Amino acid sequence: MLIGEVARRSGVSARMLRHYESLGLVRPSGRTGSGYREYSAQDIRRIFHIESLRALGLSLREVGRALDDPGFTPSALVGDLIGRTRERIAAETELLTRLSRIHAADPSGWEDVLHVVTLLRALGSASADARQRAALSSADDPPLPVEALVEAVLGETDPHVAGALRWALARSGDGGPALLAQGIGSPVAAVRERAVRSLAEMPGDEATGHLRDALAHPDPVVGGYAALELGARGDADAVPTLIDMIAEGRNDTEAADALSVLASDTATADRIAARLVDRLAHGTTGAPARGRLTQALAGVPGATASRALVELSHDAERAVALTATYLLQLRAGR
């Protein structure tokens, strides 16, 4: 079979076939009387083998070794190819992510593109100052994409940079709460904490909804941050978690303050007081915990809380009784 027919059937150009021949990869088995190359069926099979190996990512030099070296073992080379392919996929994925974020910024010209690229590179800088400046500049036009800000805040360890990133996220518009809620599902505790703290600074009903979901998270740090923020937003769903925090001594002062905010109307105040009394009566043992729950009644107005303090002023635990008595005196002096 002549070279033109081989090229047509194999899909390998005549020029490439000549290149293969110059490298010694393929040697036509014969020549016609006119001197034209003539390929045998075995030559054509070798051409297909070459193309198959090239499709796996082997160089032409590696293809020659694979076909001609009797001692060649493919396992090591295939393993190396897997590693190189993974590196290439990672690099391409990173490039795709960067391009997608630039596209999301909707740049109007090359200056905008360069501005976004500069900020994205600064967010990944080893310098905390550079990362902080990028976060504070993210509200410029065009702004940094929300995805980039969320990724940065979930990985940020410097508290000052993290604060700037949370500030930027709170002003970033749509998309942030949902992405942060995904971060709350991370297997890494530090990432979960960064996610819920950032979500707590996001305004709007969507963020509030995700914070309510976070109340049931098995990580008490996540539930605690969610409860404190929901309390500040006047959401009574946080009350059970806040009471748990007081009883367990986890940010108990902040939790008591949040209960005080929620107890601004009489009905809610009575419900909070009733829950505190129930926890004191049935759910908590130990003087320190009971003392903290008693102290929390100080910020809860209304008759239910007052009656509870009267009863607690006769409690068998002296510290609890003294705390309740003191709080009653403060109420009487108002």
Side-chain angles (χ1 to χ4, degrees), residues 8 63 67 71 131 224 274 290 304 319:
R8 186 180 69 81
V63 168
L67 293 176
R131 298 196 302 274
R290 298 189 80 245
T304 302

Side-chain angles (χ1 to χ4, degrees), residues 237-263:
D237 285 350
V239 170
T241 303
L242 292 170
I243 292 175
D244 287 342
M245 293 169 67
I246 294 168
E248 295 163 12
R250 295 184 291 108
N251 298 102
D252 51 287
T253 302
E254 293 86 348
D257 290 341
L259 284 181
S260 298
V261 172
L262 289 167

